[in-house]
Amino acid sequence: AQSVSQHNHHVILSEAASLELGCNYSYGGTVNLFWYVQYPGQHLQLLLKYFSGDPLVKGIKGFEAEFIKSKFSFNLRKPSVQWSDTAEYFCAVNAPQNYGQNFVFGPGTRLSVLP
Amino acid sequence: GAGVSQSPSNKVTEKGKDVELRCDPISGHTALYWYRQRLGQGLEFLIYFQGNSAPDKSGLPSDRFSAERTGESVSTLTIQRTQQEDSAVYLCASSFNYGEQFFGPGTRLTVL
């Protein structure tokens, strides 16, 4: 079965610090990878996704993620965080060839950015 | 509508009662998903629909949970004989074929 782990439960940073949130998944086949963000009081929304091609994908608001197949990882990065990035971040994996449209989400990482 | 809508936004019920949660997906979206999010935890996949068929019901926690979808439109998630452990936020998402999922605001269910 698929599983997704996120390394940190809660990350606290000061503004302008660099961010890296870890995400690892268990499935070894073809995968689609996603990062979603949930700002306080708002819906979950897509930050970025990887289906194929360039393993370095860029998303909204200056976020990027790198797919490293050999490490089963899809870490999220941002060079300089802002207070408005305070939110919960979820990594998600889908392996359509073997698991159809069953998406597996990680437990989430809460990011707090101090002004 | 412009996005996925869910109703009610909040539901408080007594243990043992049945509840029905509704999801209106984005018009034209073929796939619809239900998730459960317990306090402080990640999203737990419950079920998805492709059109009005549900190829994967493996995530439903028990036979008290069921879901239906009418065509490529509204879906209802029904929980019978609710238990306190059913308390959670129930999220619905829709997507066009197998693309990005768009999430609704969720229904917060509290079982007393």
Side-chain angles (χ1 to χ4, degrees), chain A:
Chain A
Q2 303 173 88
S3 68
V4 178
S5 60
Q6 292 183 236
H7 305 166
N8 308 97
H9 179 65
H10 189 191
V11 173
I12 303 173
L13 295 173
S14 297
E15 275 195 313
S18 64
L19 170 72
E20 180 159 1
L21 301 182
C23 171
N24 285 88
Y25 59 93
S26 63
Y27 183 64
T30 301
V31 292
N32 299 326
L33 300 158
F34 308 81
W35 275 97
Y36 283 85
V37 61
Q38 189 169 29
Y39 297 103
Q42 296 188 27
H43 307 182
L44 272 159
Q45 57 185 283
L46 184 72
L47 262 184
L48 46 79
K49 61 188 176 188
Y50 172 81
F51 282 9
S52 65
D54 188 344
L56 183 63
V57 293
K58 295 191 184 299
I60 60 171
K61 304 186 181 186
F63 285 90
E64 65 179 32
E66 185 175 12
F67 170 49
I68 304 180
K69 189 173 182 179
S70 60
K71 294 185 178 180
F72 302 94
S73 71
F74 190 56
N75 291 356
L76 181 71
R77 300 195 292 249
K78 185 170 183 179
S80 175
V81 294
Q82 300 172 311
W83 177 79
S84 58
D85 293 325
T86 294
E88 186 113 23
Y89 292 81
F90 295 92
C91 180
V93 177
N94 162 242
Q97 291 176 337
N98 289 70
Y99 293 97
Q101 285 309 296
N102 185 339
F103 278 72
V104 178
F105 280 74
T109 296
R110 185 153 61 101
L111 173 65
S112 299
V113 180
L114 306 177

